[in-house]
Every structure is written in C-alpha cells, then in structure tokens.
Amino acid sequence: MVERDHILEVRHLSKSFGKHVVLRDIDFQVAVGDVTCIIGASGSGKSTLLRCINMLEIPTTGEILYHDKDITDRGVNVSSYRSKVGMVFQSFNLFNNMTVLENCMVGQTKVLKKNKEQAKKNAMKYLEKVGMAPYIHAKPRQISGGQKQRVAIARALAMEPEILLFDEPTSALDPQMVGEVLTVMRTLVKEGITMIIVTHEMAFARDVSSHVVFMADGVIEEEGSPEDIFGNPRKAKTQEFLSRFIQG
Amino acid sequence: MPTDFLGRVVAVFQRYGMSMLQGAGVSMQIALVGTFIGCLIGFAVGIVQTVPTGQKDNPMKKGALWVVKLILNAYVEFFRGTPMMAQAMFIYYGLFPLVGLNPSMRQAAYFILSINTGAYMAETVRGGILSIDTGQTEGAKAIGMTHVQTMLYVILPQALRNIMPQIGNNLIINIKDSCVLSVIGVAELLYKTKAAAGALYMNFETYTITMIVYFVMTFTCSRILRWMENRMDGSDNYDLATTDTLAHTSGMYRYPDEKKEED
C-alpha cells in the first residue's frame, strides 16, 4: 500500500462519561482525499468519535494528530483548528438569528477576517453549489429540513476546510430530503474533498467511501475498503449488522 | 369646589396637574435610566456567570473566575433579598456619606434603581443564555468561533429576543416602584400626589388622576416594547433571490439547474 500524507491520525483514543466508557482505544488514519464512512449501530460511539475529532468532546485519553500535531495538547488553539475542520450536524445547528446568507458569511468575516464582499461572493458560490442561492434572505425557521442541511453544508464549505465531518447528516430528514442532501454530498465526493461521514445510509456509504470503519460497543470492530466491508465482512458482528440492512 | 366627583377631579388637576405631570416625568426618567443601566449590569453579570470552565483551563484563570462569580452571586442575592426602600435609606443616608460621596437625589435614585434592576436582570440574562439550544453554541464553535464571538454574534442576540418580555416587565415594575424612592425625597409622581392630596384633603380625586397617569405610562411602554419585539422577529415572509418561477411555486429549487441544460 502506498503511504499517502495523513492529514488526521487518531491514536489510542478513549472517552468515558463518568464510569461509562463510550470509546475504547480507537486508532485510525485519514489521508488527503479520503472519504471515510463510519457505520455501526446506535450507541456504538460513532458520533462521539466524530465529536472528539472536532474537540466538541474532550477525549479522556489518547491523541488526535492533525498534520502531525496533537490537538488535544494543552495550549493548542482549538478554535483555529476547528476553523479548518468543517462539521455538519444531524440537527443542522444553523444560527437562528441570521439569514441563510449571513449563516454562511459570519464565520468568514469573524473568524477568517475576510471582508464582507469577499465573504458574500464565497458564500454565494457554495450556496449555488448546494442549490440554496434563491433562499439567501430566508431565516432558518422558514426553510425545510433538507434545505437547512444544505445550507449547513454550504456554511461549512464556505470556511474552505481541509476536512469535512458529517454527523448523521440525513438522520433527521424524511426520505425525499435525504435524497437532496446525499446528492449534494456526492458532488463533494467527486471534487475530492476529504470527508469523515457518520451515517446510516449503507448504500450511500458503499458508493462513495474509500474507507469504511465499522464500530461496535465503542471499538473499531472492522475496517477496510467498502468492497471488503460490504461484500466480504469477516467479523460476526459486522455480518450481523449488515445483514439487517441488506434484508431490510 | 364642584360638587360632583368628575368636576372635583378636574379641579384638582387644574390646580396640581402640572406638578403631578412633572412628577410623572421624573418617575419615567428614573425608570428608563434605571432599566437601561440595570440591563447593562444584568448582561455583564449574566455573561460572566455563564462563562464555561473546562478541565484544560489553567488554575489561575479558574480561581479568578471562581472569585468573581462568588462576588457577583453575593451581589445578586443581596439586592434581590432586601427591600428597595430599605436599600435606598441605607445607601443614600448611610453608605454614600460613609465613603464621602455626595450625589444629588436624582443620581442616587438612578444608582439604586439600576443596581436593583441589575440584580434581577442578571438572573434573567443567565436564564436567557441557558435557554438557547446547545446546538447553536456547537454550530458556532464548529466554524472556529471563540467563546466571546459565539456569545456576541450567536447566543446573545437570541437570548436578548427571548428575554425582551422580561425587560418589559422590569421597565413597568420600575415605573411603578420608582415611587419607593420618595423616601429619600425624590419628587416623583407619588411624592407629588401625596403633596396635592394632603393640601386639598381630597385623596380619592387626586389618586384617581395618579392611577390614570401611571396606567397611561405603563400601557404605552408595554405597547412600545411589544412593537419592538415584533420588529426583532423580522418579517414572516422572505423574497426568493431568483427569477426562476418554478422556485416560487414549488418551494424547491432544482439543481443542477435544469434550465441551463435545456438551453
């Protein structure tokens, strides 16, 4: 296997809430251009892992190396790290006090210190990409769930991040809206953006990912190429989990 | 003096109306200044009280924050827990001379009302900040905002909207409760009313006027605040920034743009 540049490397990561251990000794790497899908049952720690990567949860032990620098170190500027790592949430988390356009501009003007015109131009570029350009004057409460999620993706993209994290981006949406969000995500995959996607959309994961991680009970049970995981899973837990999806 | 009630009211008003309206002006002024400065104090205290501390912060910062929070808590509890009338006497006749301050009566009134409103507003603001969904904070953090930026651009604007009814409440309470400050001799509406009623021995008539004046002041303020709330909510409608009429009717915008492909 050709060794590519690792943009992100998780080493021996563990997370517990009180006595409850959610993640145990997680190791995995992400190379530039990788699309990593994390699959697994609810409660297996997928979302917590993703939140740890963005430091929304502080890992109990372990390291997260971003360009070989451990971001869990004391004194690391977490905000500036986060500005390079975009995140899309299950519950959208658009800023309710701003319009669609402002949502996509505020990070650029306040965090990246761009001027307003530049920020607007950039925001419009990404809003067009996700098909939300006509809705720039709407407030989040005025648009549908799928539209909100597309705006959330544009907001993350407008920061021009090196990695995009998706935390179950379609789990709160009805089937029709799932389609529109997945379509947008597929175009991003084609553009070669590095992504880590926590998802329950197995068909989507099989199609787009370059690497699949299957988690169960807080550990990485099995990982590999989508062909291996979906076509030829080795572990019993993986087989059981996937069989339910294939039958259903 | 006329024999009918309304006639007597009019007579009292003709004689003491101007003085009472002046008093009403003073009441209003004290209430507005007190509410405004009180809100500023409330926001400052409420914001400090909701500063999060993580395990990663250095102990010095944590310690300093703990002391500041303790002092602010003491302030809130003390001023919420004692009557404003007693505070007025205590501060104006006791504390100010003790520290060598000699403010005018009006300044003292502003001070007492502000610091009282601040104590209540601190808790209101804290509640307002806590009422905002944590998703908003996470969304802001995820694009790299610091705590200060998150508060300034995302949380506080939403918290302010949520606590507007409570700010209105405070303003109305302050319009009425400014009368308590007559104990230190502030010539506000109730002070003037007492003088008028005492001079004419006509309590019923004089207080009728006072009640009406107070009600007009509070009702006007509550309407103005409601109007401000509606303005903050913004329009219920929005304009689509497109000439594609399909987007208007269906509420869905097609992508990739099918129209372009047809051309």
Side-chain angles (χ1 to χ4, degrees), chain B residues 60-90:
Chain B
M60 276 290 283
K61 187 184 154 196
K62 268 194 202 169
L65 201 62
W66 185 80
V67 173
V68 172
K69 280 184 183 178
L70 191 78
I71 293 167
L72 293 179
N73 259 329
Y75 155 69
V76 170
E77 294 301 338
F78 177 76
F79 279 94
R80 281 198 316 176
T82 52
M84 190 160 79
M85 199 187 271
Q87 287 166 22
M89 301 293 276
F90 176 79

PDB file of all heavy atoms in Angstrom, chain B residues 60-90:
ATOM      1  N   MET B  60      -5.079  29.338  37.489  1.00  0.00           N
ATOM      2  CA  MET B  60      -5.182  30.764  37.828  1.00  0.00           C
ATOM      3  C   MET B  60      -6.482  31.365  37.299  1.00  0.00           C
ATOM      4  O   MET B  60      -7.214  32.055  38.011  1.00  0.00           O
ATOM      5  CB  MET B  60      -3.999  31.532  37.203  1.00  0.00           C
ATOM      6  CG  MET B  60      -2.732  31.502  38.014  1.00  0.00           C
ATOM      7  SD  MET B  60      -2.873  32.476  39.523  1.00  0.00           S
ATOM      8  CE  MET B  60      -2.688  34.118  38.838  1.00  0.00           C
ATOM      9  N   LYS B  61      -6.753  31.064  36.022  1.00  0.00           N
ATOM     10  CA  LYS B  61      -7.952  31.594  35.384  1.00  0.00           C
ATOM     11  C   LYS B  61      -9.201  31.060  36.093  1.00  0.00           C
ATOM     12  O   LYS B  61     -10.147  31.795  36.358  1.00  0.00           O
ATOM     13  CB  LYS B  61      -7.950  31.189  33.909  1.00  0.00           C
ATOM     14  CG  LYS B  61      -9.054  31.816  33.089  1.00  0.00           C
ATOM     15  CD  LYS B  61      -9.050  31.297  31.665  1.00  0.00           C
ATOM     16  CE  LYS B  61     -10.428  31.398  31.045  1.00  0.00           C
ATOM     17  NZ  LYS B  61     -10.574  30.585  29.839  1.00  0.00           N
ATOM     18  N   LYS B  62      -9.155  29.765  36.387  1.00  0.00           N
ATOM     19  CA  LYS B  62     -10.299  29.140  37.070  1.00  0.00           C
ATOM     20  C   LYS B  62     -10.543  29.786  38.423  1.00  0.00           C
ATOM     21  O   LYS B  62     -11.681  30.089  38.779  1.00  0.00           O
ATOM     22  CB  LYS B  62     -10.019  27.646  37.276  1.00  0.00           C
ATOM     23  CG  LYS B  62     -10.515  26.757  36.175  1.00  0.00           C
ATOM     24  CD  LYS B  62     -10.476  25.329  36.685  1.00  0.00           C
ATOM     25  CE  LYS B  62     -10.428  24.310  35.600  1.00  0.00           C
ATOM     26  NZ  LYS B  62     -10.133  22.970  36.102  1.00  0.00           N
ATOM     27  N   GLY B  63      -9.445  30.001  39.166  1.00  0.00           N
ATOM     28  CA  GLY B  63      -9.548  30.578  40.515  1.00  0.00           C
ATOM     29  C   GLY B  63     -10.125  31.978  40.457  1.00  0.00           C
ATOM     30  O   GLY B  63     -11.051  32.318  41.207  1.00  0.00           O
ATOM     31  N   ALA B  64      -9.589  32.795  39.530  1.00  0.00           N
ATOM     32  CA  ALA B  64     -10.050  34.175  39.400  1.00  0.00           C
ATOM     33  C   ALA B  64     -11.536  34.203  39.058  1.00  0.00           C
ATOM     34  O   ALA B  64     -12.311  34.962  39.637  1.00  0.00           O
ATOM     35  CB  ALA B  64      -9.242  34.895  38.321  1.00  0.00           C
ATOM     36  N   LEU B  65     -11.921  33.336  38.137  1.00  0.00           N
ATOM     37  CA  LEU B  65     -13.311  33.274  37.712  1.00  0.00           C
ATOM     38  C   LEU B  65     -14.217  32.864  38.875  1.00  0.00           C
ATOM     39  O   LEU B  65     -15.317  33.392  39.048  1.00  0.00           O
ATOM     40  CB  LEU B  65     -13.450  32.287  36.557  1.00  0.00           C
ATOM     41  CG  LEU B  65     -14.683  32.438  35.681  1.00  0.00           C
ATOM     42  CD1 LEU B  65     -14.696  33.790  35.004  1.00  0.00           C
ATOM     43  CD2 LEU B  65     -14.749  31.331  34.649  1.00  0.00           C
ATOM     44  N   TRP B  66     -13.708  31.937  39.695  1.00  0.00           N
ATOM     45  CA  TRP B  66     -14.494  31.462  40.834  1.00  0.00           C
ATOM     46  C   TRP B  66     -14.758  32.616  41.809  1.00  0.00           C
ATOM     47  O   TRP B  66     -15.876  32.799  42.277  1.00  0.00           O
ATOM     48  CB  TRP B  66     -13.713  30.333  41.533  1.00  0.00           C
ATOM     49  CG  TRP B  66     -14.472  29.690  42.642  1.00  0.00           C
ATOM     50  CD1 TRP B  66     -15.439  28.745  42.531  1.00  0.00           C
ATOM     51  CD2 TRP B  66     -14.330  29.972  44.050  1.00  0.00           C
ATOM     52  NE1 TRP B  66     -15.912  28.409  43.766  1.00  0.00           N
ATOM     53  CE2 TRP B  66     -15.253  29.137  44.728  1.00  0.00           C
ATOM     54  CE3 TRP B  66     -13.511  30.828  44.793  1.00  0.00           C
ATOM     55  CZ2 TRP B  66     -15.372  29.145  46.109  1.00  0.00           C
ATOM     56  CZ3 TRP B  66     -13.643  30.832  46.172  1.00  0.00           C
ATOM     57  CH2 TRP B  66     -14.562  29.996  46.816  1.00  0.00           C
ATOM     58  N   VAL B  67     -13.708  33.426  42.070  1.00  0.00           N
ATOM     59  CA  VAL B  67     -13.853  34.553  42.994  1.00  0.00           C
ATOM     60  C   VAL B  67     -14.844  35.576  42.429  1.00  0.00           C
ATOM     61  O   VAL B  67     -15.748  36.037  43.131  1.00  0.00           O
ATOM     62  CB  VAL B  67     -12.477  35.216  43.267  1.00  0.00           C
ATOM     63  CG1 VAL B  67     -12.657  36.492  44.080  1.00  0.00           C
ATOM     64  CG2 VAL B  67     -11.558  34.246  43.990  1.00  0.00           C
ATOM     65  N   VAL B  68     -14.690  35.894  41.137  1.00  0.00           N
ATOM     66  CA  VAL B  68     -15.581  36.881  40.517  1.00  0.00           C
ATOM     67  C   VAL B  68     -17.031  36.406  40.575  1.00  0.00           C
ATOM     68  O   VAL B  68     -17.944  37.153  40.926  1.00  0.00           O
ATOM     69  CB  VAL B  68     -15.161  37.155  39.048  1.00  0.00           C
ATOM     70  CG1 VAL B  68     -16.196  38.021  38.349  1.00  0.00           C
ATOM     71  CG2 VAL B  68     -13.809  37.839  39.012  1.00  0.00           C
ATOM     72  N   LYS B  69     -17.228  35.122  40.254  1.00  0.00           N
ATOM     73  CA  LYS B  69     -18.587  34.584  40.279  1.00  0.00           C
ATOM     74  C   LYS B  69     -19.180  34.642  41.685  1.00  0.00           C
ATOM     75  O   LYS B  69     -20.370  34.903  41.864  1.00  0.00           O
ATOM     76  CB  LYS B  69     -18.598  33.135  39.765  1.00  0.00           C
ATOM     77  CG  LYS B  69     -18.561  33.033  38.250  1.00  0.00           C
ATOM     78  CD  LYS B  69     -18.673  31.588  37.794  1.00  0.00           C
ATOM     79  CE  LYS B  69     -18.554  31.472  36.286  1.00  0.00           C
ATOM     80  NZ  LYS B  69     -18.601  30.091  35.809  1.00  0.00           N
ATOM     81  N   LEU B  70     -18.326  34.385  42.681  1.00  0.00           N
ATOM     82  CA  LEU B  70     -18.778  34.417  44.078  1.00  0.00           C
ATOM     83  C   LEU B  70     -19.259  35.821  44.445  1.00  0.00           C
ATOM     84  O   LEU B  70     -20.339  36.006  45.023  1.00  0.00           O
ATOM     85  CB  LEU B  70     -17.629  33.993  45.000  1.00  0.00           C
ATOM     86  CG  LEU B  70     -18.007  33.733  46.446  1.00  0.00           C
ATOM     87  CD1 LEU B  70     -18.669  32.366  46.570  1.00  0.00           C
ATOM     88  CD2 LEU B  70     -16.794  33.808  47.350  1.00  0.00           C
ATOM     89  N   ILE B  71     -18.447  36.826  44.059  1.00  0.00           N
ATOM     90  CA  ILE B  71     -18.808  38.214  44.368  1.00  0.00           C
ATOM     91  C   ILE B  71     -20.120  38.588  43.667  1.00  0.00           C
ATOM     92  O   ILE B  71     -21.018  39.184  44.270  1.00  0.00           O
ATOM     93  CB  ILE B  71     -17.681  39.179  43.937  1.00  0.00           C
ATOM     94  CG1 ILE B  71     -16.438  38.937  44.796  1.00  0.00           C
ATOM     95  CG2 ILE B  71     -18.131  40.636  44.044  1.00  0.00           C
ATOM     96  CD1 ILE B  71     -15.183  39.594  44.288  1.00  0.00           C
ATOM     97  N   LEU B  72     -20.227  38.215  42.410  1.00  0.00           N
ATOM     98  CA  LEU B  72     -21.438  38.555  41.654  1.00  0.00           C
ATOM     99  C   LEU B  72     -22.665  37.872  42.236  1.00  0.00           C
ATOM    100  O   LEU B  72     -23.746  38.463  42.323  1.00  0.00           O
ATOM    101  CB  LEU B  72     -21.270  38.170  40.179  1.00  0.00           C
ATOM    102  CG  LEU B  72     -20.220  38.973  39.422  1.00  0.00           C
ATOM    103  CD1 LEU B  72     -20.109  38.499  37.984  1.00  0.00           C
ATOM    104  CD2 LEU B  72     -20.533  40.469  39.458  1.00  0.00           C
ATOM    105  N   ASN B  73     -22.482  36.625  42.660  1.00  0.00           N
ATOM    106  CA  ASN B  73     -23.592  35.912  43.303  1.00  0.00           C
ATOM    107  C   ASN B  73     -24.043  36.623  44.562  1.00  0.00           C
ATOM    108  O   ASN B  73     -25.237  36.759  44.825  1.00  0.00           O
ATOM    109  CB  ASN B  73     -23.161  34.491  43.663  1.00  0.00           C
ATOM    110  CG  ASN B  73     -23.691  33.490  42.666  1.00  0.00           C
ATOM    111  OD1 ASN B  73     -24.756  33.695  42.093  1.00  0.00           O
ATOM    112  ND2 ASN B  73     -22.946  32.427  42.442  1.00  0.00           N
ATOM    113  N   ALA B  74     -23.066  37.073  45.340  1.00  0.00           N
ATOM    114  CA  ALA B  74     -23.377  37.780  46.580  1.00  0.00           C
ATOM    115  C   ALA B  74     -24.168  39.041  46.268  1.00  0.00           C
ATOM    116  O   ALA B  74     -25.166  39.355  46.927  1.00  0.00           O
ATOM    117  CB  ALA B  74     -22.086  38.120  47.320  1.00  0.00           C
ATOM    118  N   TYR B  75     -23.725  39.760  45.221  1.00  0.00           N
ATOM    119  CA  TYR B  75     -24.426  40.984  44.797  1.00  0.00           C
ATOM    120  C   TYR B  75     -25.872  40.689  44.438  1.00  0.00           C
ATOM    121  O   TYR B  75     -26.800  41.351  44.917  1.00  0.00           O
ATOM    122  CB  TYR B  75     -23.670  41.604  43.610  1.00  0.00           C
ATOM    123  CG  TYR B  75     -24.516  42.462  42.696  1.00  0.00           C
ATOM    124  CD1 TYR B  75     -25.028  43.679  43.123  1.00  0.00           C
ATOM    125  CD2 TYR B  75     -24.814  42.038  41.400  1.00  0.00           C
ATOM    126  CE1 TYR B  75     -25.809  44.451  42.284  1.00  0.00           C
ATOM    127  CE2 TYR B  75     -25.589  42.806  40.558  1.00  0.00           C
ATOM    128  CZ  TYR B  75     -26.096  44.010  41.005  1.00  0.00           C
ATOM    129  OH  TYR B  75     -26.879  44.763  40.175  1.00  0.00           O
ATOM    130  N   VAL B  76     -26.063  39.665  43.606  1.00  0.00           N
ATOM    131  CA  VAL B  76     -27.412  39.320  43.162  1.00  0.00           C
ATOM    132  C   VAL B  76     -28.284  38.956  44.361  1.00  0.00           C
ATOM    133  O   VAL B  76     -29.397  39.465  44.526  1.00  0.00           O
ATOM    134  CB  VAL B  76     -27.379  38.163  42.137  1.00  0.00           C
ATOM    135  CG1 VAL B  76     -28.785  37.640  41.873  1.00  0.00           C
ATOM    136  CG2 VAL B  76     -26.742  38.622  40.836  1.00  0.00           C
ATOM    137  N   GLU B  77     -27.772  38.087  45.209  1.00  0.00           N
ATOM    138  CA  GLU B  77     -28.575  37.611  46.335  1.00  0.00           C
ATOM    139  C   GLU B  77     -28.909  38.753  47.296  1.00  0.00           C
ATOM    140  O   GLU B  77     -30.018  38.838  47.817  1.00  0.00           O
ATOM    141  CB  GLU B  77     -27.847  36.482  47.078  1.00  0.00           C
ATOM    142  CG  GLU B  77     -27.685  35.210  46.257  1.00  0.00           C
ATOM    143  CD  GLU B  77     -29.017  34.614  45.802  1.00  0.00           C
ATOM    144  OE1 GLU B  77     -30.058  34.907  46.419  1.00  0.00           O
ATOM    145  OE2 GLU B  77     -29.007  33.868  44.797  1.00  0.00           O
ATOM    146  N   PHE B  78     -27.917  39.636  47.546  1.00  0.00           N
ATOM    147  CA  PHE B  78     -28.156  40.720  48.500  1.00  0.00           C
ATOM    148  C   PHE B  78     -29.229  41.674  47.992  1.00  0.00           C
ATOM    149  O   PHE B  78     -30.170  42.014  48.709  1.00  0.00           O
ATOM    150  CB  PHE B  78     -26.855  41.488  48.774  1.00  0.00           C
ATOM    151  CG  PHE B  78     -27.047  42.658  49.701  1.00  0.00           C
ATOM    152  CD1 PHE B  78     -27.198  42.454  51.062  1.00  0.00           C
ATOM    153  CD2 PHE B  78     -27.113  43.957  49.201  1.00  0.00           C
ATOM    154  CE1 PHE B  78     -27.399  43.535  51.918  1.00  0.00           C
ATOM    155  CE2 PHE B  78     -27.324  45.032  50.047  1.00  0.00           C
ATOM    156  CZ  PHE B  78     -27.460  44.826  51.410  1.00  0.00           C
ATOM    157  N   PHE B  79     -29.124  42.112  46.733  1.00  0.00           N
ATOM    158  CA  PHE B  79     -30.058  43.122  46.255  1.00  0.00           C
ATOM    159  C   PHE B  79     -31.436  42.551  45.921  1.00  0.00           C
ATOM    160  O   PHE B  79     -32.426  43.263  45.954  1.00  0.00           O
ATOM    161  CB  PHE B  79     -29.470  43.881  45.061  1.00  0.00           C
ATOM    162  CG  PHE B  79     -28.519  44.945  45.504  1.00  0.00           C
ATOM    163  CD1 PHE B  79     -27.164  44.690  45.589  1.00  0.00           C
ATOM    164  CD2 PHE B  79     -28.988  46.196  45.890  1.00  0.00           C
ATOM    165  CE1 PHE B  79     -26.290  45.662  46.028  1.00  0.00           C
ATOM    166  CE2 PHE B  79     -28.112  47.167  46.334  1.00  0.00           C
ATOM    167  CZ  PHE B  79     -26.762  46.893  46.402  1.00  0.00           C
ATOM    168  N   ARG B  80     -31.476  41.256  45.612  1.00  0.00           N
ATOM    169  CA  ARG B  80     -32.797  40.654  45.416  1.00  0.00           C
ATOM    170  C   ARG B  80     -33.457  40.368  46.742  1.00  0.00           C
ATOM    171  O   ARG B  80     -34.673  40.293  46.846  1.00  0.00           O
ATOM    172  CB  ARG B  80     -32.672  39.329  44.645  1.00  0.00           C
ATOM    173  CG  ARG B  80     -32.485  39.508  43.165  1.00  0.00           C
ATOM    174  CD  ARG B  80     -32.809  38.237  42.433  1.00  0.00           C
ATOM    175  NE  ARG B  80     -32.230  37.057  43.099  1.00  0.00           N
ATOM    176  CZ  ARG B  80     -32.421  35.814  42.705  1.00  0.00           C
ATOM    177  NH1 ARG B  80     -33.174  35.569  41.662  1.00  0.00           N
ATOM    178  NH2 ARG B  80     -31.857  34.796  43.349  1.00  0.00           N
ATOM    179  N   GLY B  81     -32.623  40.200  47.758  1.00  0.00           N
ATOM    180  CA  GLY B  81     -33.140  39.696  49.031  1.00  0.00           C
ATOM    181  C   GLY B  81     -33.488  40.762  50.059  1.00  0.00           C
ATOM    182  O   GLY B  81     -33.919  40.431  51.156  1.00  0.00           O
ATOM    183  N   THR B  82     -33.293  42.056  49.704  1.00  0.00           N
ATOM    184  CA  THR B  82     -33.649  43.111  50.655  1.00  0.00           C
ATOM    185  C   THR B  82     -34.562  44.118  49.967  1.00  0.00           C
ATOM    186  O   THR B  82     -34.462  44.315  48.759  1.00  0.00           O
ATOM    187  CB  THR B  82     -32.386  43.842  51.170  1.00  0.00           C
ATOM    188  OG1 THR B  82     -31.616  44.257  50.034  1.00  0.00           O
ATOM    189  CG2 THR B  82     -31.542  42.939  52.046  1.00  0.00           C
ATOM    190  N   PRO B  83     -35.450  44.779  50.723  1.00  0.00           N
ATOM    191  CA  PRO B  83     -36.389  45.720  50.091  1.00  0.00           C
ATOM    192  C   PRO B  83     -35.681  46.962  49.550  1.00  0.00           C
ATOM    193  O   PRO B  83     -34.734  47.444  50.159  1.00  0.00           O
ATOM    194  CB  PRO B  83     -37.345  46.106  51.219  1.00  0.00           C
ATOM    195  CG  PRO B  83     -36.903  45.383  52.423  1.00  0.00           C
ATOM    196  CD  PRO B  83     -35.648  44.662  52.163  1.00  0.00           C
ATOM    197  N   MET B  84     -36.156  47.428  48.414  1.00  0.00           N
ATOM    198  CA  MET B  84     -35.505  48.572  47.782  1.00  0.00           C
ATOM    199  C   MET B  84     -35.642  49.824  48.644  1.00  0.00           C
ATOM    200  O   MET B  84     -34.752  50.672  48.669  1.00  0.00           O
ATOM    201  CB  MET B  84     -36.095  48.821  46.390  1.00  0.00           C
ATOM    202  CG  MET B  84     -35.310  49.836  45.598  1.00  0.00           C
ATOM    203  SD  MET B  84     -35.618  49.730  43.845  1.00  0.00           S
ATOM    204  CE  MET B  84     -37.164  50.587  43.716  1.00  0.00           C
ATOM    205  N   MET B  85     -36.748  49.933  49.379  1.00  0.00           N
ATOM    206  CA  MET B  85     -36.949  51.115  50.212  1.00  0.00           C
ATOM    207  C   MET B  85     -35.863  51.177  51.287  1.00  0.00           C
ATOM    208  O   MET B  85     -35.273  52.230  51.538  1.00  0.00           O
ATOM    209  CB  MET B  85     -38.337  51.084  50.853  1.00  0.00           C
ATOM    210  CG  MET B  85     -38.809  52.430  51.354  1.00  0.00           C
ATOM    211  SD  MET B  85     -40.346  52.292  52.269  1.00  0.00           S
ATOM    212  CE  MET B  85     -41.538  52.481  50.963  1.00  0.00           C
ATOM    213  N   ALA B  86     -35.592  50.010  51.893  1.00  0.00           N
ATOM    214  CA  ALA B  86     -34.555  49.946  52.921  1.00  0.00           C
ATOM    215  C   ALA B  86     -33.181  50.222  52.297  1.00  0.00           C
ATOM    216  O   ALA B  86     -32.366  50.953  52.862  1.00  0.00           O
ATOM    217  CB  ALA B  86     -34.564  48.579  53.597  1.00  0.00           C
ATOM    218  N   GLN B  87     -32.964  49.661  51.106  1.00  0.00           N
ATOM    219  CA  GLN B  87     -31.691  49.902  50.425  1.00  0.00           C
ATOM    220  C   GLN B  87     -31.495  51.394  50.159  1.00  0.00           C
ATOM    221  O   GLN B  87     -30.397  51.931  50.310  1.00  0.00           O
ATOM    222  CB  GLN B  87     -31.658  49.170  49.082  1.00  0.00           C
ATOM    223  CG  GLN B  87     -31.512  47.676  49.170  1.00  0.00           C
ATOM    224  CD  GLN B  87     -31.832  47.031  47.830  1.00  0.00           C
ATOM    225  OE1 GLN B  87     -31.768  47.670  46.785  1.00  0.00           O
ATOM    226  NE2 GLN B  87     -32.183  45.766  47.872  1.00  0.00           N
ATOM    227  N   ALA B  88     -32.590  52.062  49.753  1.00  0.00           N
ATOM    228  CA  ALA B  88     -32.499  53.486  49.440  1.00  0.00           C
ATOM    229  C   ALA B  88     -32.024  54.274  50.656  1.00  0.00           C
ATOM    230  O   ALA B  88     -31.119  55.104  50.563  1.00  0.00           O
ATOM    231  CB  ALA B  88     -33.855  53.995  48.956  1.00  0.00           C
ATOM    232  N   MET B  89     -32.639  53.993  51.806  1.00  0.00           N
ATOM    233  CA  MET B  89     -32.248  54.682  53.039  1.00  0.00           C
ATOM    234  C   MET B  89     -30.805  54.338  53.397  1.00  0.00           C
ATOM    235  O   MET B  89     -29.996  55.200  53.728  1.00  0.00           O
ATOM    236  CB  MET B  89     -33.163  54.256  54.195  1.00  0.00           C
ATOM    237  CG  MET B  89     -34.624  54.536  53.968  1.00  0.00           C
ATOM    238  SD  MET B  89     -34.989  56.286  53.913  1.00  0.00           S
ATOM    239  CE  MET B  89     -35.147  56.658  55.661  1.00  0.00           C
ATOM    240  N   PHE B  90     -30.515  53.046  53.324  1.00  0.00           N
ATOM    241  CA  PHE B  90     -29.195  52.534  53.712  1.00  0.00           C
ATOM    242  C   PHE B  90     -28.096  53.167  52.852  1.00  0.00           C
ATOM    243  O   PHE B  90     -27.082  53.645  53.364  1.00  0.00           O
ATOM    244  CB  PHE B  90     -29.199  51.013  53.553  1.00  0.00           C
ATOM    245  CG  PHE B  90     -27.888  50.345  53.826  1.00  0.00           C
ATOM    246  CD1 PHE B  90     -27.475  50.126  55.136  1.00  0.00           C
ATOM    247  CD2 PHE B  90     -27.066  49.934  52.781  1.00  0.00           C
ATOM    248  CE1 PHE B  90     -26.270  49.499  55.393  1.00  0.00           C
ATOM    249  CE2 PHE B  90     -25.860  49.307  53.030  1.00  0.00           C
ATOM    250  CZ  PHE B  90     -25.466  49.093  54.346  1.00  0.00           C
TER     251      PHE B  90
END
